[in-house]
């Protein structure tokens, strides 16, 4: 249950905006009110509050993964040679001695076998890339399910989604640099996707590769994008994202003393700084541990890329696995129109589908607010997913859709491992791609409604104590006690309105938060 916006929240002096101890025993945290403190005042900045819940650290996880990427990437640039000139390998790896390969692949082997700590740094860089993309994805799921994308944070949602797209492009560019047989197969697929674009596809592919495939300029171009253009864009957008977070303040779970005019949590210094710094060391430590004990991308096993060969059982990194799966599920459809051949089995899954998916994600905050009538109000308190069954169902359905495509990207490996027909598995996945998201939506929506109903009953009747007593009429009934423990954001009184997917009538429309 939230307090009215005009009521001073525990932990803040409503007259001066200075922080003090919270009066609520469960909220012994420091609160930084928006009040009337100058934005650039050093003391106000150090007292800025950050929510105490663990889910708000998912963005920090992405930030420190990016920092690990930058540090390891700078180190690798001293040894990597982005050149396509042909050389003969003379290094210590015996199976490839005397084999002709590009200078890019030769320098990758040199980093892995000759440079002290080179293999560890290579693998740390790769693991950090996987964690970075995953952290952005999970962070955006948290924002989606809690409704933290609503006014005034639509721009931050757009920036976060753009960061995710750039992270995908950055990962693919770096993945393709070693010029091994596996990454070359991925580049071959990328060229095929470009060629599937009607009319201009040939020109797009020729421009991207700098000539006929496989070209001698593609690695040099990818290298410039990977170390300069894309990282610059990522760092710039992260900076803007953090500035907006500081300016708009964090969302927070509903609870005693929490309103749309304050933020209750740990102050920036020293508590949040200490927690965030500890998380950074944990991220770096886990990445180094994974790099030391879990092998990833052993390019020497694949060998140098040759256009006349393919890597059997090749699997891309997980974040582009959904594209691979979509390509494998669409039947071989093609149409000849006005002298042009439209390859629907490539155009639809690799060009149209990603465009639709990201277009829907970009537009969703604006569409939902129009449909629910929340466009005119700022929202600073997080929704619990169970209270928004339609949004939660859509999010679960989208996640299941992505998971089916990811499984389809490994249909050959799955079929071989479990000794089943790859054709039968492909048809199962095709049906699942249509049916599973619908079922997931219905089940998630039903669970949300059931959880809200169970919570309403718990708040109305109380919690069973386990004691049974006899009534005056001779019957028996269980004893109940008032609910006393609540999860973050849980209401303290029965809520209504969750069945419609709209804000419950028990939640006040928030006023504009002062800054």
């Amino acid at each position: 249950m939230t307090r009215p916006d005009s009521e001073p929240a525990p932990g803040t002096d409503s007259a001066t905006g200075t922080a003090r101890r919270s009066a609520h025993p469960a909220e012994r945290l420091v609160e930084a009110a928006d009040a009337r403190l100058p934005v650039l005042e050093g003391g106000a900045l150090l007292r800025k509050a950050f929510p105490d819940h663990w889910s708000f650290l998912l963005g920090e996880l992405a930030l420190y993964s990016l920092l690990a990427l930058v540090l390891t990437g700078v180190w690798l640039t001293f040894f990597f040679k982005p050149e396509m000139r042909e050389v003969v390998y003379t290094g210590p790896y015996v199976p490839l001695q005397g084999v002709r390969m590009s200078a890019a692949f030769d320098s990758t082997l040199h980093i892995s076998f000759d440079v002290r700590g080179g293999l560890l740094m290579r693998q740390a860089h790769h693991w950090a890339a996987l964690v970075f993309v995953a952290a952005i994805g999970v962070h955006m799921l948290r924002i989606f399910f809690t409704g933290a994308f609503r006014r005034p944070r639509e721009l931050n949602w757009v920036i976060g989604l753009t960061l995710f797209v750039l992270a995908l492009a950055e990962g693919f560019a770096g993945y393709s640099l070693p010029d091994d047989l596996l990454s070359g197969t991925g580049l071959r697929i990328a060229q095929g996707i470009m060629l599937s674009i009607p009319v201009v596809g040939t020109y797009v592919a020729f421009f991207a590769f700098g000539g006929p495939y496989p070209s001698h300029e593609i690695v040099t171009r990818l290298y410039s994008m990977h170390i300069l253009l894309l990282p610059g864009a990522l760092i710039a957008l992260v900076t803007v994202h953090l500035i907006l977070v500081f300016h708009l303040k964090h969302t927070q779970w509903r609870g005693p003393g929490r309103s749309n005019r304050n933020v209750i949590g740990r102050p920036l210094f020293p508590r949040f700084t200490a927690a965030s710094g500890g998380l950074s060391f944990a991220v770096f430590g886990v990445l180094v541990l994974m790099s030391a004990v879990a092998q990833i991308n052993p390019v020497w096993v694949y060998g140098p890329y040759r256009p006349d060969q393919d890597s059997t059982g090749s699997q891309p990194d997980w974040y582009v696995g959904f594209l691979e799966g979509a390509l494998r599920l669409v039947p071989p459809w093609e149409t000849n129109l006005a002298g042009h051949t439209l390859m629907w089995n490539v155009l639809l899954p690799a060009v149209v589908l990603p465009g639709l998916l990201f277009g829907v994600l970009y537009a969703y905050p604006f569409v939902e607010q129009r449909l629910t009538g929340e466009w005119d109000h700022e929202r600073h308190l997080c929704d619990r997913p169970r209270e928004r069954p339609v949004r939660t169902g859509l999010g679960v359905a989208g996640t299941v859709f992505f998971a089916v495509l990811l499984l389809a990207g490994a249909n050959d490996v799955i079929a071989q491992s479990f000794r089943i027909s790859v054709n039968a598995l492909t048809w199962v996945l095709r049906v699942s791609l249509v049916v599973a998201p619908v079922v997931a939506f219905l089940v998630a929506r039903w669970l949300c409604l059931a959880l809200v109903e169970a919570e309403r009953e718990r708040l109305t009747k109380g919690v069973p104590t386990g004691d049974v007593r006899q009534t005056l009429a001779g019957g028996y009934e269980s004893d109940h006690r008032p609910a006393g423990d609540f999860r973050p954001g849980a209401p303290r009184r029965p809520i209504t309105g969750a069945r419609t997917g709209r804000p419950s009538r028990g939640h006040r429309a928030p006023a504009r938060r002062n800054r």
Side-chain angles (χ1 to χ4, degrees), residues 317-460:
D317 285 337
W318 73 268
Y319 48 83
V320 290
F322 77 100
L323 283 179
E324 178 81 9
L327 286 168
R328 298 187 183 193
L329 289 186
V330 177
W333 297 331
E334 66 177 55
T335 301
N336 293 318
L337 181 64
H340 297 280
T341 301
L342 298 180
M343 301 297 298
W344 299 110
N345 59 324
V346 180
L347 181 65
L348 289 178
V351 179
V352 177
L353 178 63
L356 287 176
L357 287 177
F358 285 103
V360 169
L361 290 174
Y362 275 113
Y364 186 87
F366 308 96
V367 174
E368 183 191 280
Q369 291 182 104
R370 286 293 187 185
L371 295 178
T372 58
E374 298 176 334
W375 187 262
D376 297 330
H377 300 289
E378 291 187 357
R379 304 283 170 172
H380 303 291
L381 297 177
C382 292
D383 292 327
R384 291 189 306 155
R386 68 183 64 182
E387 296 174 6
R388 294 298 186 106
V390 174
R391 181 202 296 155
T392 301
L394 291 174
V396 172
T399 304
V400 170
F401 185 81
F402 178 85
V404 173
L405 291 179
L406 192 60
L407 285 175
N411 62 345
D412 54 344
V413 176
I414 295 174
Q416 182 181 17
S417 300
F418 292 95
R419 299 294 190 270
I420 58 179
S421 169
V422 67
N423 292 326
L425 178 61
T426 300
W427 273 106
V428 169
L429 292 172
R430 284 172 177 170
V431 174
S432 300
L433 188 64
V434 178
V435 175
V438 177
V439 174
F441 172 83
L442 296 176
V443 171
R445 184 176 180 274
W446 173 78
L447 285 175
C448 289
L449 296 175
L451 287 171
V452 170
E453 186 63 32
E455 192 170 60
R456 182 182 292 114
E457 181 178 355
R458 176 175 178 268
L459 294 173
T460 303

Side-chain angles (χ1 to χ4, degrees), residues 135-149:
I136 294 179
V138 177
H139 178 56
M140 295 201 68
L141 285 176
R142 197 276 300 176
I143 292 174
F144 178 85
F145 284 115
T146 61
F149 52 76

Side-chain angles (χ1 to χ4, degrees), residues 12 26 30 55 61 78-79 84 95 199 207 228 238 255 258 270 302 344 351-352 364 369 384 427 439 443 472 483:
T12 300
V30 176
S55 62
L61 183 61
F78 291 112
F79 304 97
M84 292 295 290
V199 182
F207 172 79
L228 181 62
V238 167
R258 303 182 182 189
Y302 312 134
W344 299 110
V351 179
V352 177
Y364 186 87
Q369 291 182 104
R384 291 189 306 155
W427 273 106
V439 174
V443 171
L472 294 176

Side-chain angles (χ1 to χ4, degrees), residues 28 37 67 82 84 102 131 137 166 239 246 248 281 290 307 325-326 335 361 375-377 386 406 433 453 500 503 505:
R28 297 191 181 278
L37 289 175
L67 181 58
M84 292 295 290
S102 66
V131 174
L166 291 178
T239 302
F246 268 78
L248 299 174
F281 287 115
M290 293 170 62
T335 301
L361 290 174
W375 187 262
D376 297 330
H377 300 289
R386 68 183 64 182
L406 192 60
L433 188 64
E453 186 63 32
T500 64
R505 292 189 294 272

Side-chain angles (χ1 to χ4, degrees), residues 449-488:
L449 296 175
L451 287 171
V452 170
E453 186 63 32
E455 192 170 60
R456 182 182 292 114
E457 181 178 355
R458 176 175 178 268
L459 294 173
T460 303
K461 298 182 178 179
V463 180
T465 61
D467 298 331
V468 179
R469 61 186 177 183
Q470 188 175 16
T471 64
L472 294 176
Y476 293 91
E477 62 181 16
S478 60
D479 195 14
H480 292 75
R481 59 176 174 82
D485 54 327
F486 302 95
R487 298 176 65 86

Side-chain angles (χ1 to χ4, degrees), residues 164-189:
F164 186 73
V165 175
L166 291 178
L168 296 181
E170 173 76 341
F172 181 77
Y175 171 83
S176 305
L177 286 180
D179 195 38
D180 60 286
L181 188 56
L182 183 60
S183 66
T185 302
L187 281 176
R188 184 63 164 175
I189 295 174

